[in-house]
Amino acid sequence: MKKLLLLIPIITTAISGFAQQNKKPIQPLDIDRIPTLSGPQISPDGKWIAYSLSEVDTAKDGRVSHLWMQSWDGMQSVQLTFGDEAASTPKWSPDGKYLSFMSSRESKKGGQVWLMDRRGGEGKKLTDIKGDIDDYSWSPDASKLLLTIGDPENGGKDEPKTPLPVKIDRYHFKQDVEGYLQHQHQHLYLFDVLKKKLDTLTKGNTDEAAAEWSPDGKRIVFQSNHTADPDKNENDDIFVIDAEPKSTAQQLTVWTGHDVFPHWSPDGKHISYLRSTSEANYMMYDQDILCIMDADGKNNRLLTQQLDRPVTGHAWSKDGKMLAFLVADDRERYVDAYDISSGSISNVIKGEYSVTGVEANPNGSWLIQMADPYTPAELYALESGKTRRLTFQQQQWLNTVNLASVKGFQSKSSDGTLVSGLVYTPDSVNRKKLPLILFIHGGPVGQDEFSFDATRQILSSAGFTVIGVNYRGSNGRGLSYCKAIYADWGNKEVKDLLGAVDEMVKQGLADADHLGIGGWSYGGILTNYTIASDTRFKAAASGAGSSLQTTMYGSDQYVLQYDNEIGQPWKNEKKWIQLSYPFFHADRIKTPVLFMSGLKDFNVPTAGSEQMYEALKSAGITAELILYPNSFHGISKPSYQVDRLQRYIVWYNKYLK
């Protein structure tokens, strides 16, 4: 069954005219209405785009994704799958006649690859494989699938009635979502489409990822860590292997940092990839450089080192003359291109928005996925440096809400550092003093961008000035800016955050007597650092944070970072205590704090929030602790996401208004 929508822009305009009369400020429940586009794939003839669209099913308190097709001319939008069973990861067959996709329908073994005729008809299950299929792709002649499969739990047998004891003997032994890590790995396999036969391509105590067929279908490139103990470094390298069982992989790169995300040039003569700047076993504060080498690993060239900005994606033009890539630069994420013949870099598109994906169309243009402060991610054609919107999946709900105004600003910290940020003000307010919420991004390596931020939009629409600050440790401002907090947490970042608050007060956008603060992950950690350094904040919301950092050693997933950046606690006791100052000086905190955590969080475990909650209760400071059952670091259950936003607003209203 298909649902066909014609002339999408015209329909959307008609709806918009009616909805404008009934707009209301965006509220927590509105996040259930925001769809997510992912995995766009251009058809071989360049005339269609297949993608998956994930939407909230409030009745089941979860999300379900379905497949859509969008015509390149923008005139047709077709929904391909329906119902309760999810479909995702669409891939075109090389002749463009079929769409394959992932679905767990009719299977107790997890997601399998399915196949449907793009002209219509029901999908048919193609694979029946034990283990988790992480990724797949068609061979150029369509005879085989390249599968990346994780080892099945319990060896593919049914789970025993009484779970077996968990045996741990790894250095890095736990990971958020994955849980306790044993010796299960992810390998490459070849699946014969006609014979339904599965052949092993790689095996052993390694994990393979980012695999891609060569244009002639004879070889496969991938990334993997083949060091003696991959748990103790992040040294992924690029390998190639013949697309035949029992072949031996050949290592192409030897950089002791990481080499990742390889892509063949269209003629198969070159491989592009991303390389870390640092050669260290682990470096949190780093940025990737776009590189290119010959297909045999010779003549490596670093293409973007001079930019001093992180590259986050890359794609070859169909004629092999250009390499497009994404650059994160001071609140923006834009598209640049490298000319293979001249060696020059030019900008393709740049502005106050965030491009999160780029793919080449055979017609010579590009497909990008892009968001801005007022529109969540949609698909756009990028033609001759100009964008043309292709999908309008966000428009129906956007037509019913008023959004906060978003502007960039800069501030100076007490040590003179220039810091960039974003300020959100309610649409109905004309630059008057409001209670302020400093809502801090996590990472720390990341940046607040001119993208759509539902949390800050909802908080601002509740009647607050809200700011995001790219404190030192954030990327997008160069490697030195990012590395400034190495082994020195809660120092320079706090100066940057306080300087931004001072700037908002100076501009008359914030009431100095009604200041709030909050964040999730490293944003929660920085919330704790800041309220232990300055008592001006009247309310705080610390999500998935920590303060007594010694207890995180062995409790979370960052042992490699700790050993390489801070040193082992018994060898550097004073440093660990210094970095734990919010806990050891909890009596200095005067701010009422709402602590939050997911009970299955192995990224920043619940203990980090519990300890600070107990410390404040012991010190007589107002505190609440909210724990979300069966939730990992990123709270994914829709009802919990709404609950979290509602609690933020109630808490800030109580203490700031």
Side-chain angles (χ1 to χ4, degrees):
M1 180 178 180
K2 293 184 179 182
K3 181 168 68 178
L4 177 64
L5 303 179
L6 302 176
L7 303 175
I8 299 300
I10 297 175
I11 292 173
T12 302
T13 302
I15 294 173
S16 176
F18 174 78
Q20 292 288 344
Q21 304 170 16
N22 301 287
K23 283 193 171 187
K24 297 179 180 179
I26 185 172
Q27 299 177 22
L29 282 171
D30 285 317
I31 64 169
D32 283 349
R33 304 166 62 198
I34 305 176
T36 301
L37 286 74
S38 62
Q41 299 280 310
I42 300 176
S43 62
D45 62 8
K47 295 181 179 180
W48 289 89
I49 305 145
Y51 64 94
S52 61
L53 185 78
S54 171
E55 297 178 284
V56 171
D57 183 337
T58 54
K60 294 187 176 182
D61 202 9
R63 298 188 73 94
V64 61
S65 63
H66 284 294
L67 304 185
W68 286 71
M69 287 199 316
Q70 173 64 49
S71 64
W72 186 261
D73 62 14
M75 302 304 291
Q76 298 181 70
S77 184
V78 185
Q79 184 173 352
L80 298 175
T81 64
F82 301 82
D84 295 335
E85 297 293 341
S88 64
T89 324
K91 301 285 180 75
W92 296 94
S93 62
D95 60 9
K97 294 180 179 179
Y98 297 92
L99 265 177
S100 55
F101 61 95
M102 292 291 299
S103 180
S104 58
R105 62 184 73 175
E106 297 181 13
S107 177
K108 296 181 180 180
K109 301 177 183 179
Q112 301 293 333
V113 179
W114 286 64
L115 190 65
M116 75 163 52
D117 191 318
R118 60 170 288 185
R119 296 165 295 183
E122 293 295 327
K124 297 181 180 180
K125 190 166 65 171
L126 190 58
T127 66
D128 189 22
I129 291 168
K130 297 178 181 179
D132 294 325
I133 301 177
D134 181 72
D135 195 12
Y136 75 99
S137 60
W138 289 87
S139 63
D141 65 1
S143 66
K144 296 179 180 179
L145 294 179
L146 170 62
L147 302 175
T148 305
I149 306 175
D151 294 339
E153 294 186 7
N154 305 308
K157 299 179 181 178
D158 292 337
E159 184 176 347
K161 292 182 179 180
T162 301
L164 298 174
V166 178
K167 177 185 176 181
I168 301 294
D169 60 1
R170 291 179 59 170
Y171 169 75
H172 176 199
F173 68 92
K174 62 195 308 186
Q175 188 75 22
D176 196 39
V177 182
E178 296 178 51
Y180 290 102
L181 303 178
Q182 299 183 59
H183 290 282
Q184 294 176 315
H185 294 284
Q186 183 173 277
H187 297 301
L188 305 181
Y189 297 81
L190 296 174
F191 179 80
D192 190 296
V193 174
L194 292 179
K195 298 178 181 178
K196 300 291 182 72
K197 180 185 177 184
L198 186 69
D199 287 314
T200 300
L201 194 60
T202 64
K203 56 184 179 180
N205 295 321
T206 59
D207 294 276
E208 283 74 61
E212 185 177 282
W213 292 93
S214 63
D216 61 8
K218 295 181 179 180
R219 293 176 296 168
I220 291 163
V221 67
F222 62 93
Q223 69 186 58
S224 186
N225 186 333
H226 284 201
T227 61
D229 188 350
D231 281 353
K232 291 191 173 182
N233 60 72
E234 293 196 324
N235 184 17
D236 271 32
D237 279 301
I238 307 298
F239 294 79
V240 292
I241 190 170
D242 290 339
E244 297 289 342
K246 299 182 180 181
S247 297
T248 300
Q250 175 190 358
Q251 184 173 337
L252 298 185
T253 62
V254 294
W255 182 250
T256 56
H258 69 236
D259 301 296
V260 293
F261 303 121
H263 293 307
W264 295 96
S265 62
D267 61 8
K269 295 181 179 180
H270 299 92
I271 297 171
S272 61
Y273 63 99
L274 300 181
R275 168 182 288 188
S276 64
T277 303
S278 172
E279 294 183 84
N281 286 334
Y282 184 94
M283 173 56 71
M284 170 69 76
Y285 320 99
D286 204 356
Q287 56 190 28
D288 283 342
I289 300 167
L290 179 62
C291 303
I292 188 174
M293 61 182 169
D294 295 345
D296 59 3
K298 297 178 181 178
N299 298 318
N300 272 275
R301 288 180 283 162
L302 279 62
L303 308 184
T304 62
Q305 189 172 26
Q306 70 273 25
L307 296 181
D308 192 24
R309 293 293 186 271
V311 173
T312 56
H314 56 112
W316 288 86
S317 62
K318 293 301 182 181
D319 60 9
K321 295 180 179 180
M322 303 289 288
L323 258 175
F325 55 94
L326 308 182
V327 182
D329 182 11
D330 195 11
R331 296 165 294 182
E332 299 177 355
R333 191 177 299 264
Y334 51 77
V335 182
D336 275 359
Y338 179 86
D339 187 292
I340 300 299
S341 61
S342 69
S344 62
I345 294 174
S346 59
N347 178 251
V348 181
I349 184 173
K350 186 179 189 295
E352 292 189 347
Y353 39 73
S354 176
V355 181
T356 54
V358 59
E359 183 182 352
N361 190 308
N363 66 16
S365 55
W366 302 92
L367 172 70
I368 62 171
Q369 189 162 342
M370 184 173 71
D372 62 46
Y374 308 104
T375 312
E378 295 273 20
L379 300 179
Y380 296 78
L382 177 55
E383 301 160 318
S384 301
K386 296 182 179 180
T387 60
R388 177 171 55 86
R389 186 167 170 179
L390 295 173
T391 60
F392 292 79
Q393 297 287 3
Q394 310 290 350
Q395 206 58 47
Q396 185 173 357
W397 78 269
L398 283 174
N399 287 337
T400 67
V401 298
N402 284 319
L403 298 176
S405 172
V406 185
K407 295 182 179 180
F409 74 92
Q410 290 189 314
S411 57
K412 277 195 175 182
S413 305
S414 59
D415 59 7
T417 301
L418 187 65
V419 176
S420 298
L422 299 171
V423 55
Y424 295 69
T425 52
D427 179 65
S428 59
V429 176
N430 295 319
R431 292 184 64 84
K432 69 178 184 179
K433 289 184 180 180
L434 288 173
L436 177 134
I437 300 173
L438 164 60
F439 203 83
I440 311 165
H441 75 72
V445 180
Q447 67 165 354
D448 287 322
E449 299 180 349
F450 287 103
S451 186
F452 188 84
D453 190 315
T455 297
R456 292 194 180 104
Q457 280 284 355
I458 290 168
L459 289 176
S460 183
S461 294
F464 300 94
T465 293
V466 180
I467 59 172
V469 180
N470 286 325
Y471 51 85
R472 276 170 283 186
S474 306
N475 65 18
R477 289 283 302 280
L479 196 55
S480 296
Y481 190 90
C482 188
K483 292 174 66 175
I485 67 170
Y486 182 89
D488 187 24
W489 312 337
N491 178 18
K492 298 181 180 70
E493 315 101 294
V494 173
K495 290 184 175 70
D496 297 342
L497 296 172
L498 295 177
V501 171
D502 291 340
E503 180 64 25
M504 291 297 99
V505 173
K506 179 181 176 182
Q507 290 188 20
L509 294 175
D511 184 341
D513 296 323
H514 297 84
L515 302 177
I517 188 172
W520 198 267
S521 192
Y522 200 73
I525 293 171
L526 280 183
T527 296
N528 299 345
Y529 278 130
T530 306
I531 61 176
S533 305
D534 196 304
T535 60
R536 75 175 84 174
F537 295 96
K538 300 299 189 292
S542 175
S546 63
S547 291
L548 183 55
Q549 306 301 358
T550 51
T551 61
M552 295 295 102
Y553 191 95
S555 297
D556 66 18
Q557 61 191 34
Y558 294 106
V559 64
L560 187 59
Q561 179 184 2
Y562 297 146
D563 280 356
N564 283 274
E565 183 178 344
I566 310 300
Q568 294 161 328
W570 52 93
K571 293 183 179 180
N572 203 5
E573 180 181 351
K574 290 183 178 180
K575 171 60 72 172
W576 281 87
I577 293 175
Q578 174 193 333
L579 298 181
S580 302
Y581 73 76
F583 184 83
F584 288 110
H585 297 296
D587 56 332
R588 298 180 183 177
I589 297 174
K590 306 302 179 187
T591 305
V593 186
L594 175 66
F595 293 101
M596 293 180 168
S597 177
L599 281 172
K600 284 190 173 182
D601 190 344
F602 276 7
N603 189 313
V604 185
T606 298
S609 297
E610 291 174 331
Q611 290 161 350
M612 280 303 291
Y613 167 78
E614 196 67 31
L616 294 196
K617 297 297 282 189
S618 297
I621 303 300
T622 300
E624 285 187 14
L625 176 62
I626 307 300
L627 304 174
Y628 291 105
N630 300 312
S631 294
F632 304 112
H633 188 64
I635 305 298
S636 59
K637 188 174 285 294
S639 64
Y640 290 166
Q641 293 177 339
V642 173
D643 178 88
R644 177 171 56 180
L645 288 168
Q646 291 172 333
R647 290 182 187 276
Y648 283 157
I649 292 171
V650 170
W651 190 260
Y652 289 127
N653 278 343
K654 181 176 181 179
Y655 293 103
L656 299 184
K657 289 187 178 179

